Amino acid sequence: MNLTDKFIFEYLKGFKFDYVGKLFKRIFDVEIQIEIYEYSKKNSYRETAHVTFKKDKLIYQCDLCDNHDYENDFYQISIEEQRFICFRKTLYGFSLLNVDNLLVEYEYFPEHVIHGEESFIITDVKQLDAILIFDGCYWACPYGAFAFDYKTKRFLDLSRMCNVFDLDKTEVQGNNLIIFGTDENDSEKQVVISKQDIIKELTEHGNKYF
């Protein structure tokens, strides 16, 4: 059992679950079935899900916990000739499921979360060739964005490349990333960063974690 699955197992252990319903999706040629359950924690109701990915005779199953949007938290990714489904098992981190063999090719989970520390929460995923762009936040504030180089498995906080105090959103346009937000004076700001500049910054200042 890897670190992410162990965290989910320990997190959900001992709770009673009530069945809510099913969702069905299809990404590439993979059928996705999402069974949603509800449980009570600290006087509030939360949801968990059991997910089955199926392609021909191949099956991959896993549990998810405390995601924000089970229906939309699955992203279609193509890197060179490889195809992936990017999704979150927990509120933090992400997984890349290889569509051809239904094996998790790469999985990131911030280990410091286990010790009660906060981490970046991914809310949207975009692609700039082999670079994934993660929009997100630290518990709703501040908002931000990270770049992830699939080839080197390194992360970069994109705020270091632009003077944006509160990031609103990012957009990919051709070989550029457009960052929208406000500066420290609450003035609207729009910054254009090229793919090559992001790769250069990842090479020089990228980290193995965010």
Side-chain angles (χ1 to χ4, degrees):
M1 186 180 295
N2 63 30
L3 185 62
T4 310
D5 294 334
K6 183 178 180 181
F7 173 81
I8 294 173
F9 176 80
E10 294 295 333
Y11 186 87
L12 297 176
K13 188 166 60 177
F15 288 106
K16 181 181 178 181
F17 302 98
D18 296 317
Y19 178 74
V20 175
K22 287 183 182 179
L23 295 172
F24 296 92
K25 293 180 67 66
R26 187 179 182 90
I27 296 180
F28 292 118
D29 47 355
V30 177
E31 297 176 4
I32 306 173
Q33 176 181 285
I34 308 161
E35 298 176 87
I36 302 173
Y37 299 85
E38 190 176 66
Y39 66 102
S40 177
K41 184 173 185 177
K42 296 182 179 179
N43 298 319
S44 65
Y45 284 97
R46 303 186 180 188
E47 288 185 340
T48 182
H50 182 74
V51 181
T52 300
F53 299 86
K54 186 175 181 180
K55 176 188 174 183
D56 300 326
K57 295 182 179 181
L58 299 174
I59 292 178
Y60 175 76
Q61 295 179 311
C62 64
D63 292 317
L64 315 181
C65 72
D66 283 358
N67 288 39
H68 285 166
D69 188 349
Y70 289 116
E71 187 171 7
N72 297 311
D73 273 348
F74 298 84
Y75 301 90
Q76 177 175 309
I77 302 295
S78 297
I79 300 176
E80 295 175 348
E81 296 183 358
Q82 297 187 81
R83 300 178 301 161
F84 301 98
I85 297 173
C86 180
F87 69 102
R88 295 185 299 152
K89 289 184 178 180
T90 75
L91 195 59
Y92 310 98
F94 67 97
S95 303
L96 289 176
L97 183 71
N98 189 308
V99 168
D100 293 327
N101 55 26
L102 291 196
L103 296 176
V104 173
E105 184 98 359
Y106 178 83
E107 191 162 87
Y108 173 76
F109 180 77
E111 191 170 353
H112 53 269
V113 168
I114 296 174
H115 307 295
E117 298 179 30
E118 193 51 62
S119 188
F120 187 73
I121 300 168
I122 296 171
T123 58
D124 194 18
V125 180
K126 303 177 180 73
Q127 184 177 355
L128 192 58
D129 291 336
I131 299 172
L132 301 185
I133 306 296
F134 299 127
D135 289 5
C137 62
Y138 293 87
W139 271 118
C141 183
Y143 286 89
F146 277 82
F148 170 73
D149 189 337
Y150 172 76
K151 294 181 179 180
T152 64
K153 308 298 188 290
R154 299 181 74 85
F155 297 94
L156 177 73
D157 184 349
L158 289 168
S159 66
R160 67 175 292 126
M161 298 188 69
C162 60
N163 184 26
V164 175
F165 177 72
D166 192 6
L167 185 147
D168 180 36
K169 65 177 181 177
T170 65
E171 289 183 6
V172 174
Q173 295 183 9
N175 286 321
N176 296 320
L177 179 71
I178 318 297
I179 296 179
F180 300 87
T182 56
D183 60 21
E184 293 183 355
N185 298 317
D186 206 30
S187 299
E188 291 187 3
K189 195 173 183 69
Q190 180 176 325
V191 180
V192 180
I193 307 175
S194 72
K195 179 182 70 175
Q196 290 305 318
D197 285 344
I198 294 175
I199 291 173
K200 182 175 183 294
E201 198 73 12
L202 274 161
T203 302
E204 296 176 357
H205 303 288
N207 295 309
K208 288 294 184 181
Y209 55 87
F210 58 56

